Amino acid sequence: MIHHHPDTNILAEYAAGTLDTAQAIAVRAHLHYCKKCAKIVQEMEQVGGAMLEELSPQDMPEDSFATLMAAIDNNEPHVSSTVPAIQTHSDLPKIINQLMGGENLRWRKVNKSLKTASLTLGQKNYEVSLQRICAGGTTPEHDHQGTEMTVVLEGSFSDENGIYREGDFLLKQPGDIHQPVSAQHQDCLCLSVQEAPVKLTGLWGKFINPFIRLHPA
């Protein structure tokens, strides 16, 4: 059962199409698992559609449709057709498989317990990546210098505030310090959407933090 969800404001922005593309992907991944939030978004979209129907029609430029379609195309995740796709995972959200399938993921080792792989979206505001914590592994304790959305895709992890399982959605803000620990029996795979680099709070933080960079997707 999913216990952690996006708040109503985030769902409303997603339904209205005003959420940043990278963050919208995190919400979309959560909706793959969460029927409750999916229903809320559907109801919001229906209300929005009804409100549009009540508006008086307005004259639009002749090229409006072409402009709209171009904007939609620009917001879709880029999937290269020149690189062989890796095997898809039927249990993962479709959008994640799309992002994984267009490139050979390059996993970077952060420490003995954590690996990360960047995903390509063609935008500059956020770093979008997969985070894999090995079974029983502990990540470095860290603070956040910007918003970070996390969706658990496989397995589970815990921190000082609770346990997070498949489909759970977390939003961290500056000042939210935590240290995720994966479950003992299974690796944990998460989607991460970061507005700014994390800030390590441990002993080595002051030496390592200057070298931590954001890698926009």
Side-chain angles (χ1 to χ4, degrees):
M1 182 177 293
I2 297 173
H3 294 284
H4 304 275
H5 310 267
D7 64 27
T8 304
N9 291 332
I10 293 176
L11 293 178
E13 287 189 64
Y14 177 84
T18 57
L19 200 61
D20 184 275
T21 300
Q23 293 188 323
I25 286 175
V27 175
R28 188 170 171 182
H30 171 74
L31 297 181
H32 170 82
Y33 302 97
C34 184
K35 294 181 179 179
K36 176 182 177 181
C37 288
K39 182 178 180 181
I40 292 173
V41 168
Q42 183 181 34
E43 291 172 349
M44 288 178 171
E45 291 173 341
Q46 290 173 347
V47 171
M51 292 176 64
L52 286 175
E53 290 179 357
E54 293 178 359
L55 296 176
S56 301
Q58 301 290 327
D59 293 333
M60 299 292 290
E62 293 182 0
D63 62 347
S64 294
F65 180 75
T67 301
L68 174 62
M69 295 306 296
I72 293 174
D73 289 339
N74 289 335
N75 282 326
E76 284 294 316
H78 173 69
V79 178
S80 171
S81 60
T82 61
V83 182
I86 65 174
Q87 182 179 0
T88 59
H89 302 264
S90 59
D91 293 336
L92 293 181
K94 181 179 178 180
I95 186 64
I96 302 301
N97 272 317
Q98 288 178 326
L99 294 172
M100 293 173 64
E103 58 184 302
N104 293 320
L105 295 180
R106 296 180 179 179
W107 289 95
R108 177 173 57 87
K109 186 175 181 180
V110 178
N111 66 5
K112 65 180 181 179
S113 300
L114 176 64
K115 293 182 179 180
T116 180
S118 296
L119 300 175
T120 301
L121 293 181
Q123 56 84 52
K124 299 180 180 180
N125 297 326
Y126 295 87
E127 178 177 7
V128 183
S129 62
L130 297 177
Q131 311 281 342
R132 183 178 292 279
I133 313 172
C134 69
T138 301
T139 67
E141 183 183 78
H142 58 274
D143 194 352
H144 299 82
Q145 302 184 88
T147 61
E148 178 186 51
M149 291 182 176
T150 301
V151 181
V152 181
L153 304 176
E154 292 178 347
S156 64
F157 75 87
S158 61
D159 63 11
E160 299 80 355
N161 299 310
I163 300 174
Y164 311 93
R165 299 180 175 85
E166 186 178 282
D168 276 333
F169 178 99
L170 291 79
L171 176 64
K172 294 294 184 181
Q173 303 282 8
D176 292 336
I177 299 174
H178 71 150
Q179 187 173 25
V181 179
S182 180
Q184 293 290 332
H185 65 283
Q186 182 183 4
D187 289 359
C188 181
L189 179 66
C190 296
L191 172 69
S192 172
V193 178
Q194 293 180 333
E195 184 182 25
V198 298
K199 181 180 179 181
L200 301 185
T201 57
L203 178 62
W204 294 99
K206 64 179 181 180
F207 300 105
I208 299 175
N209 286 330
F211 300 99
I212 300 178
R213 297 287 184 270
L214 191 71
H215 302 283

mmCIF file of all heavy atoms in Angstrom, residues 33 92 132-133 151-158 163-168 181-183 185-190:
data_model
loop_
_atom_site.group_PDB
_atom_site.id
_atom_site.type_symbol
_atom_site.label_atom_id
_atom_site.label_comp_id
_atom_site.label_asym_id
_atom_site.label_seq_id
_atom_site.Cartn_x
_atom_site.Cartn_y
_atom_site.Cartn_z
ATOM 1 N N TYR A 33 1.644 3.755 -10.089
ATOM 2 C CA TYR A 33 1.427 2.858 -8.959
ATOM 3 C C TYR A 33 0.183 3.209 -8.144
ATOM 4 O O TYR A 33 -0.391 2.341 -7.486
ATOM 5 C CB TYR A 33 2.627 2.910 -8.005
ATOM 6 C CG TYR A 33 3.948 2.543 -8.628
ATOM 7 C CD1 TYR A 33 4.825 3.525 -9.081
ATOM 8 C CD2 TYR A 33 4.336 1.217 -8.758
ATOM 9 C CE1 TYR A 33 6.045 3.189 -9.640
ATOM 10 C CE2 TYR A 33 5.558 0.868 -9.308
ATOM 11 C CZ TYR A 33 6.409 1.864 -9.760
ATOM 12 O OH TYR A 33 7.618 1.527 -10.312
ATOM 13 N N LEU A 92 7.936 -1.392 -14.326
ATOM 14 C CA LEU A 92 8.269 0.020 -14.183
ATOM 15 C C LEU A 92 7.288 0.883 -14.979
ATOM 16 O O LEU A 92 6.700 0.429 -15.964
ATOM 17 C CB LEU A 92 9.690 0.291 -14.669
ATOM 18 C CG LEU A 92 10.830 -0.312 -13.846
ATOM 19 C CD1 LEU A 92 12.177 0.080 -14.452
ATOM 20 C CD2 LEU A 92 10.767 0.141 -12.393
ATOM 21 N N ARG A 132 20.279 3.770 -7.295
ATOM 22 C CA ARG A 132 20.177 2.378 -6.857
ATOM 23 C C ARG A 132 20.974 2.189 -5.566
ATOM 24 O O ARG A 132 22.194 2.399 -5.547
ATOM 25 C CB ARG A 132 20.690 1.416 -7.925
ATOM 26 C CG ARG A 132 20.525 -0.055 -7.528
ATOM 27 C CD ARG A 132 21.005 -0.996 -8.623
ATOM 28 N NE ARG A 132 20.157 -0.953 -9.794
ATOM 29 C CZ ARG A 132 19.005 -1.598 -9.917
ATOM 30 N NH1 ARG A 132 18.557 -2.337 -8.906
ATOM 31 N NH2 ARG A 132 18.287 -1.505 -11.023
ATOM 32 N N ILE A 133 20.266 1.811 -4.497
ATOM 33 C CA ILE A 133 20.903 1.530 -3.208
ATOM 34 C C ILE A 133 20.937 0.015 -3.041
ATOM 35 O O ILE A 133 19.899 -0.644 -3.153
ATOM 36 C CB ILE A 133 20.128 2.155 -2.037
ATOM 37 C CG1 ILE A 133 19.762 3.617 -2.323
ATOM 38 C CG2 ILE A 133 20.951 2.073 -0.753
ATOM 39 C CD1 ILE A 133 18.836 4.235 -1.284
ATOM 40 N N VAL A 151 10.671 9.073 -6.317
ATOM 41 C CA VAL A 151 9.642 8.033 -6.429
ATOM 42 C C VAL A 151 10.334 6.681 -6.333
ATOM 43 O O VAL A 151 11.294 6.415 -7.054
ATOM 44 C CB VAL A 151 8.886 8.126 -7.768
ATOM 45 C CG1 VAL A 151 7.802 7.041 -7.845
ATOM 46 C CG2 VAL A 151 8.250 9.501 -7.946
ATOM 47 N N VAL A 152 9.863 5.848 -5.430
ATOM 48 C CA VAL A 152 10.427 4.502 -5.281
ATOM 49 C C VAL A 152 9.867 3.625 -6.403
ATOM 50 O O VAL A 152 8.654 3.465 -6.538
ATOM 51 C CB VAL A 152 10.075 3.896 -3.913
ATOM 52 C CG1 VAL A 152 10.700 2.505 -3.780
ATOM 53 C CG2 VAL A 152 10.562 4.799 -2.778
ATOM 54 N N LEU A 153 10.766 3.076 -7.214
ATOM 55 C CA LEU A 153 10.366 2.251 -8.355
ATOM 56 C C LEU A 153 10.402 0.761 -8.036
ATOM 57 O O LEU A 153 9.564 -0.005 -8.515
ATOM 58 C CB LEU A 153 11.272 2.538 -9.556
ATOM 59 C CG LEU A 153 11.343 3.993 -10.021
ATOM 60 C CD1 LEU A 153 12.352 4.137 -11.148
ATOM 61 C CD2 LEU A 153 9.976 4.496 -10.469
ATOM 62 N N GLU A 154 11.384 0.356 -7.269
ATOM 63 C CA GLU A 154 11.524 -1.057 -6.868
ATOM 64 C C GLU A 154 12.115 -1.101 -5.469
ATOM 65 O O GLU A 154 12.938 -0.262 -5.101
ATOM 66 C CB GLU A 154 12.428 -1.826 -7.828
ATOM 67 C CG GLU A 154 11.876 -2.019 -9.222
ATOM 68 C CD GLU A 154 12.851 -2.751 -10.132
ATOM 69 O OE1 GLU A 154 14.040 -2.894 -9.754
ATOM 70 O OE2 GLU A 154 12.439 -3.174 -11.224
ATOM 71 N N GLY A 155 11.734 -2.097 -4.690
ATOM 72 C CA GLY A 155 12.290 -2.252 -3.354
ATOM 73 C C GLY A 155 11.746 -1.228 -2.375
ATOM 74 O O GLY A 155 10.646 -0.692 -2.550
ATOM 75 N N SER A 156 12.537 -0.909 -1.360
ATOM 76 C CA SER A 156 12.116 0.056 -0.341
ATOM 77 C C SER A 156 13.335 0.596 0.385
ATOM 78 O O SER A 156 14.415 0.004 0.339
ATOM 79 C CB SER A 156 11.168 -0.598 0.667
ATOM 80 O OG SER A 156 11.828 -1.620 1.397
ATOM 81 N N PHE A 157 13.137 1.742 1.053
ATOM 82 C CA PHE A 157 14.184 2.277 1.922
ATOM 83 C C PHE A 157 13.517 2.977 3.103
ATOM 84 O O PHE A 157 12.312 3.247 3.099
ATOM 85 C CB PHE A 157 15.131 3.211 1.173
ATOM 86 C CG PHE A 157 14.565 4.575 0.854
ATOM 87 C CD1 PHE A 157 14.653 5.623 1.763
ATOM 88 C CD2 PHE A 157 13.953 4.829 -0.370
ATOM 89 C CE1 PHE A 157 14.144 6.885 1.476
ATOM 90 C CE2 PHE A 157 13.436 6.080 -0.675
ATOM 91 C CZ PHE A 157 13.536 7.116 0.259
ATOM 92 N N SER A 158 14.301 3.273 4.093
ATOM 93 C CA SER A 158 13.792 3.973 5.262
ATOM 94 C C SER A 158 14.740 5.102 5.612
ATOM 95 O O SER A 158 15.908 5.113 5.216
ATOM 96 C CB SER A 158 13.657 3.017 6.455
ATOM 97 O OG SER A 158 14.925 2.460 6.801
ATOM 98 N N ILE A 163 9.236 4.602 6.441
ATOM 99 C CA ILE A 163 9.594 3.598 5.442
ATOM 100 C C ILE A 163 8.886 3.940 4.139
ATOM 101 O O ILE A 163 7.712 4.303 4.122
ATOM 102 C CB ILE A 163 9.177 2.185 5.911
ATOM 103 C CG1 ILE A 163 9.882 1.834 7.231
ATOM 104 C CG2 ILE A 163 9.496 1.142 4.853
ATOM 105 C CD1 ILE A 163 9.422 0.519 7.823
ATOM 106 N N TYR A 164 9.615 3.807 3.021
ATOM 107 C CA TYR A 164 9.088 4.181 1.710
ATOM 108 C C TYR A 164 9.194 2.976 0.788
ATOM 109 O O TYR A 164 10.283 2.443 0.568
ATOM 110 C CB TYR A 164 9.860 5.378 1.151
ATOM 111 C CG TYR A 164 9.978 6.502 2.165
ATOM 112 C CD1 TYR A 164 11.102 6.589 2.994
ATOM 113 C CD2 TYR A 164 8.960 7.424 2.330
ATOM 114 C CE1 TYR A 164 11.202 7.598 3.946
ATOM 115 C CE2 TYR A 164 9.049 8.433 3.285
ATOM 116 C CZ TYR A 164 10.180 8.511 4.087
ATOM 117 O OH TYR A 164 10.272 9.491 5.042
ATOM 118 N N ARG A 165 8.042 2.589 0.235
ATOM 119 C CA ARG A 165 7.972 1.388 -0.590
ATOM 120 C C ARG A 165 7.606 1.750 -2.027
ATOM 121 O O ARG A 165 7.399 2.912 -2.351
ATOM 122 C CB ARG A 165 6.961 0.413 -0.005
ATOM 123 C CG ARG A 165 7.306 -0.057 1.415
ATOM 124 C CD ARG A 165 6.261 -1.026 1.949
ATOM 125 N NE ARG A 165 6.624 -1.572 3.265
ATOM 126 C CZ ARG A 165 6.365 -0.977 4.428
ATOM 127 N NH1 ARG A 165 5.724 0.189 4.445
ATOM 128 N NH2 ARG A 165 6.726 -1.536 5.560
ATOM 129 N N GLU A 166 7.526 0.736 -2.861
ATOM 130 C CA GLU A 166 7.260 0.909 -4.283
ATOM 131 C C GLU A 166 6.065 1.833 -4.524
ATOM 132 O O GLU A 166 4.980 1.610 -4.005
ATOM 133 C CB GLU A 166 6.998 -0.460 -4.918
ATOM 134 C CG GLU A 166 6.846 -0.425 -6.424
ATOM 135 C CD GLU A 166 6.641 -1.813 -6.988
ATOM 136 O OE1 GLU A 166 7.642 -2.551 -7.111
ATOM 137 O OE2 GLU A 166 5.480 -2.179 -7.279
ATOM 138 N N GLY A 167 6.298 2.878 -5.301
ATOM 139 C CA GLY A 167 5.242 3.834 -5.637
ATOM 140 C C GLY A 167 5.195 5.054 -4.750
ATOM 141 O O GLY A 167 4.571 6.061 -5.113
ATOM 142 N N ASP A 168 5.812 5.007 -3.579
ATOM 143 C CA ASP A 168 5.787 6.154 -2.670
ATOM 144 C C ASP A 168 6.493 7.357 -3.287
ATOM 145 O O ASP A 168 7.497 7.230 -3.992
ATOM 146 C CB ASP A 168 6.436 5.807 -1.332
ATOM 147 C CG ASP A 168 5.469 5.108 -0.376
ATOM 148 O OD1 ASP A 168 4.259 5.336 -0.494
ATOM 149 O OD2 ASP A 168 5.939 4.344 0.485
ATOM 150 N N VAL A 181 18.284 4.340 3.961
ATOM 151 C CA VAL A 181 18.872 3.016 4.146
ATOM 152 C C VAL A 181 17.976 2.008 3.430
ATOM 153 O O VAL A 181 16.775 1.933 3.699
ATOM 154 C CB VAL A 181 18.980 2.646 5.646
ATOM 155 C CG1 VAL A 181 19.578 1.255 5.812
ATOM 156 C CG2 VAL A 181 19.803 3.682 6.399
ATOM 157 N N SER A 182 18.554 1.221 2.524
ATOM 158 C CA SER A 182 17.771 0.236 1.777
ATOM 159 C C SER A 182 17.395 -0.950 2.660
ATOM 160 O O SER A 182 18.083 -1.271 3.637
ATOM 161 C CB SER A 182 18.572 -0.256 0.567
ATOM 162 O OG SER A 182 17.845 -1.216 -0.168
ATOM 163 N N ALA A 183 16.301 -1.621 2.295
ATOM 164 C CA ALA A 183 15.904 -2.839 3.004
ATOM 165 C C ALA A 183 16.983 -3.903 2.848
ATOM 166 O O ALA A 183 17.726 -3.917 1.870
ATOM 167 C CB ALA A 183 14.569 -3.347 2.464
ATOM 168 N N HIS A 185 16.785 -7.137 2.224
ATOM 169 C CA HIS A 185 16.567 -8.263 1.327
ATOM 170 C C HIS A 185 16.569 -7.913 -0.154
ATOM 171 O O HIS A 185 16.527 -8.821 -0.999
ATOM 172 C CB HIS A 185 15.232 -8.939 1.663
ATOM 173 C CG HIS A 185 14.043 -8.054 1.410
ATOM 174 N ND1 HIS A 185 13.690 -7.030 2.263
ATOM 175 C CD2 HIS A 185 13.142 -8.032 0.390
ATOM 176 C CE1 HIS A 185 12.620 -6.428 1.790
ATOM 177 N NE2 HIS A 185 12.269 -7.010 0.659
ATOM 178 N N GLN A 186 16.617 -6.612 -0.505
ATOM 179 C CA GLN A 186 16.458 -6.245 -1.912
ATOM 180 C C GLN A 186 17.066 -4.871 -2.187
ATOM 181 O O GLN A 186 16.973 -3.968 -1.350
ATOM 182 C CB GLN A 186 14.961 -6.220 -2.279
ATOM 183 C CG GLN A 186 14.669 -5.899 -3.740
ATOM 184 C CD GLN A 186 13.177 -5.831 -4.014
ATOM 185 O OE1 GLN A 186 12.363 -5.955 -3.099
ATOM 186 N NE2 GLN A 186 12.812 -5.622 -5.271
ATOM 187 N N ASP A 187 17.678 -4.723 -3.372
ATOM 188 C CA ASP A 187 18.134 -3.410 -3.796
ATOM 189 C C ASP A 187 16.935 -2.478 -3.924
ATOM 190 O O ASP A 187 15.810 -2.918 -4.178
ATOM 191 C CB ASP A 187 18.837 -3.484 -5.149
ATOM 192 C CG ASP A 187 20.192 -4.164 -5.077
ATOM 193 O OD1 ASP A 187 20.603 -4.560 -3.967
ATOM 194 O OD2 ASP A 187 20.840 -4.300 -6.128
ATOM 195 N N CYS A 188 17.181 -1.185 -3.766
ATOM 196 C CA CYS A 188 16.133 -0.180 -3.918
ATOM 197 C C CYS A 188 16.458 0.709 -5.118
ATOM 198 O O CYS A 188 17.554 1.279 -5.198
ATOM 199 C CB CYS A 188 16.020 0.671 -2.656
ATOM 200 S SG CYS A 188 14.728 1.940 -2.744
ATOM 201 N N LEU A 189 15.521 0.818 -6.042
ATOM 202 C CA LEU A 189 15.681 1.664 -7.223
ATOM 203 C C LEU A 189 14.705 2.835 -7.127
ATOM 204 O O LEU A 189 13.505 2.633 -6.931
ATOM 205 C CB LEU A 189 15.406 0.869 -8.495
ATOM 206 C CG LEU A 189 15.518 1.641 -9.818
ATOM 207 C CD1 LEU A 189 16.959 2.071 -10.073
ATOM 208 C CD2 LEU A 189 15.005 0.791 -10.980
ATOM 209 N N CYS A 190 15.222 4.051 -7.260
ATOM 210 C CA CYS A 190 14.393 5.257 -7.151
ATOM 211 C C CYS A 190 14.617 6.178 -8.336
ATOM 212 O O CYS A 190 15.706 6.219 -8.921
ATOM 213 C CB CYS A 190 14.727 6.034 -5.876
ATOM 214 S SG CYS A 190 14.376 5.168 -4.342
#
